[in-house]
Amino acid sequence: MPRQFRSAWFKTLATVAALLLLAGVLGAVIGYPGWSVAVMALVILVWHYWRLQQVLLRLTARQRWETAEAAGVWNELDHLLFRNQQEMRGRKRRLIDMLRSYRAAAAALPDAVVVVDRNTQRVQWFNEAASTLLGLQHPADMGAPLVERLQPLPLAHWLAGGRNAEPILDANSPVDPAIRLHLRLIPYSDHHWLLVARDVTKLLHLEQVRRDFVANVSHELRTPLTVVHGYLDMMDPEDFPDTGPMLAEMRKQSQRMAQLVEDLLTLSRLESQRHTELEKVPMTSMLASLRREGEAHSQGRHSITIEDQAGVDLAGSTKELHSAFSNLLTNAVRYTPAGGSINVVFAREGKGAVLSVSDTGYGIPANHLPRLTERFYRVSSSRSRESGGTGLGLSIVKHILGLHQARLEIRSEVGQGSTFACHFDAEHVRVRSNTPPTPFNEDSPA
């Protein structure tokens, strides 16, 4: 017990004792000492209960507390309650100021921010940008169902995903279809979600300009490269004995440039493609074709094995999937030293399937793995130049798998090799028929 409370408690007890003693003395004078002490004790008890009632009434009424300069337990209680009330009011003011600053910051954001109740999926709060980008109006839309209010955005299935909901990268704004939005769902508590919508119209326009530029330049480069490559093929090194090595290098570099142009055109087509037509892809002939390509590219320098453990086919574009698998196998051959081994396995994965390409090559440092599928990204520029890679193969693989709702998983350890696995869901798995598979022709249309 603090010193001031102990002192006030002793003063109160001393006052009660003095009053009872005075009542006893007065009672002895008038001849009724017992009655005098009892009456005084009753008066003291009534007074204390009256003070307790005053405290309870003021606490119930939430009145502003006032203190008086006096000694005693009740006055110390007044001081304590007054101090607690002042501290509580200070904390409340600070919380209100903090809340106002947070709301002002959220209101000033250029992105639309909507607080959604997780159970009812109703709007709890939104900032000013939500009115501009999503068409929400205050106060009419407070408490309104989010899915119904933001039609025609496909939000019902998306919200059902909760924490697993992938961002919607491109959606038309309910206010203006010309406005393109990037939507992201953030579950920040057990009862609320945060819907963040960002205007990406300019970014998508710049991205489209970049794609058009790459496609146009690639188309323009194809013709002169074809002419140059044709003339180089017509030149016989025997007619130019002093320039034989130079002609061979020129042919090699022109072929590399032609391959780069073809990869750019392929990547540009894949980026502009929204979906792919599904057909049954015979994996038996696909794997046989991959074996032939791998052996031809390796020229006996590696041990290449192909395993078909799945016993099923895939649904998708035969030409595109062949391009993806061939890129992975070619990379494995290119970056595996002579004498190494490469293993291609097609197996079931639950109700889905996975095709993995494993090698015993150089391996890739962990810090490079997240960026491998970026266009022109190279782990080692010198090694890529020596192997003749364009830096677009894995980017092409990523886009092809994206069109097939599949994903690319990369595992690697320096000095131990790498594994590139293509995971397909159950919707892209087909039962293999008993009829002999049609021989796969990589030049056939998709």
Side-chain angles (χ1 to χ4, degrees):
M1 183 182 295
R3 181 179 300 176
Q4 65 270 21
F5 294 155
R6 189 183 300 113
S7 175
W9 182 251
F10 287 152
K11 288 180 181 179
T12 300
L13 290 179
T15 302
V16 171
L19 290 175
L20 292 176
L21 180 60
L22 179 60
V25 172
L26 292 177
V29 171
I30 63 177
Y32 298 99
W35 283 100
S36 298
V37 173
V39 170
M40 181 57 71
L42 181 60
V43 170
I44 293 173
L45 183 61
V46 170
W47 184 81
H48 279 287
Y49 268 102
W50 176 78
R51 289 299 304 266
L52 178 60
Q53 182 191 33
Q54 295 300 309
V55 171
L56 293 176
L57 288 175
R58 293 171 68 181
L59 286 175
T60 305
R62 300 179 180 272
Q63 295 179 356
R64 188 178 186 86
W65 217 270
E66 297 179 359
T67 60
E69 294 298 330
V73 172
W74 292 108
N75 295 98
E76 288 299 328
L77 180 61
D78 285 343
H79 283 290
L80 179 61
L81 293 175
F82 175 77
R83 186 169 67 248
N84 289 343
Q85 189 182 66
Q86 291 298 105
E87 292 176 354
M88 187 179 297
R89 289 178 181 272
R91 288 194 297 268
K92 186 177 180 180
R93 283 195 297 268
R94 288 193 295 272
L95 288 174
I96 291 176
D97 292 340
M98 189 181 300
L99 180 60
R100 286 174 178 171
S101 64
Y102 286 157
R103 294 190 112 181
L109 287 174
D111 299 339
V113 179
V114 184
V115 177
V116 184
D117 185 272
R118 182 174 181 178
N119 297 321
T120 63
Q121 297 185 1
R122 292 181 178 272
V123 177
Q124 300 294 309
W125 180 86
F126 54 88
N127 63 351
E128 295 180 6
S131 300
T132 305
L133 299 179
L134 300 175
L136 296 177
Q137 300 297 326
H138 190 277
D141 290 327
M142 295 295 291
L146 182 69
V147 176
E148 296 180 6
R149 185 60 189 83
L150 297 187
Q151 290 290 342
L153 288 177
L155 298 183
H157 180 71
W158 186 58
L159 290 174
R163 297 182 182 274
N164 300 320
E166 294 291 334
I168 298 179
L169 302 180
D170 186 6
N172 294 330
S173 169
V175 179
D176 183 358
I179 299 177
R180 314 291 284 277
L181 300 178
H182 175 279
L183 301 178
R184 186 178 181 185
L185 190 64
I186 305 174
Y188 72 96
S189 75
D190 293 336
H191 304 287
H192 294 92
W193 287 332
L194 204 64
L195 174 63
V196 180
R198 173 171 296 178
D199 185 354
V200 292
T201 307
K202 292 183 179 179
L203 291 177
L204 292 177
H205 176 69
L206 291 175
E207 180 68 14
Q208 187 60 45
V209 170
R210 180 192 63 79
R211 292 175 183 173
D212 293 342
F213 171 77
V214 172
N216 292 335
V217 169
S218 301
H219 277 292
E220 293 299 324
L221 286 174
R222 174 186 273 178
T223 300
L225 281 174
T226 302
V227 173
V228 171
H229 192 64
Y231 279 119
L232 287 174
D233 285 340
M234 292 174 60
M235 299 177 68
D236 191 347
E238 295 181 357
D239 298 334
F240 306 93
D242 297 333
T243 60
M246 288 187 293
L247 284 175
E249 183 64 22
M250 291 170 65
R251 288 173 179 171
K252 177 181 177 181
Q253 295 302 326
S254 66
Q255 290 175 351
R256 183 181 178 188
M257 291 182 66
Q259 184 60 49
L260 176 60
V261 170
E262 291 299 323
D263 286 349
L264 282 172
L265 288 172
T266 300
L267 189 57
S268 177
R269 176 181 60 80
L270 291 172
E271 287 178 337
S272 61
Q273 187 174 339
R274 292 292 181 178
H275 64 278
T276 186
E277 295 295 332
L278 297 183
E279 62 182 10
K280 191 170 183 178
V281 181
M283 290 303 296
T284 300
S285 56
M286 173 77 75
L287 294 174
S289 175
L290 291 176
R291 179 190 296 274
R292 293 191 299 271
E293 291 179 17
E295 292 175 348
H297 193 68
S298 173
Q299 296 182 351
R301 293 180 293 115
H302 308 89
S303 172
I304 301 178
T305 59
I306 309 289
E307 301 180 40
D308 185 359
Q309 304 174 358
V312 296
D313 293 328
L314 294 177
S317 168
T318 302
K319 186 175 182 179
E320 291 176 0
L321 289 179
H322 174 263
S323 176
F325 301 154
S326 178
N327 265 306
L328 294 179
L329 181 58
T330 302
N331 280 346
V333 173
R334 182 180 293 127
Y335 297 111
T336 300
S341 61
I342 299 166
N343 189 27
V344 179
V345 179
F346 181 53
R348 295 300 301 270
E349 185 181 46
K351 295 183 179 180
V354 56
L355 185 139
S356 60
V357 179
S358 304
D359 61 60
T360 58
Y362 304 108
I364 305 167
N367 60 307
H368 291 283
L369 294 181
R371 300 190 59 189
L372 281 182
T373 56
E374 296 180 11
R375 59 175 66 207
F376 297 114
Y377 184 78
R378 300 179 185 275
V379 177
S380 174
S381 300
S382 59
R383 187 184 300 169
S384 297
R385 282 194 295 268
E386 292 172 1
S387 61
T390 63
L392 295 173
L394 290 180
S395 184
I396 292 174
V397 172
K398 175 186 175 182
H399 282 82
I400 290 176
L401 294 182
L403 290 172
H404 290 78
Q405 290 77 50
R407 61 183 178 88
L408 177 66
E409 180 187 13
I410 305 174
R411 300 187 301 272
S412 185
E413 187 175 347
V414 176
Q416 301 297 320
S418 307
T419 298
F420 293 80
C422 307
H423 298 267
F424 296 87
D425 57 23
E427 296 181 0
H428 289 75
V429 173
R430 296 290 183 269
V431 177
R432 183 173 296 173
S433 61
N434 295 325
T435 57
T438 303
F440 172 67
N441 180 11
E442 61 185 83
D443 296 325
S444 61

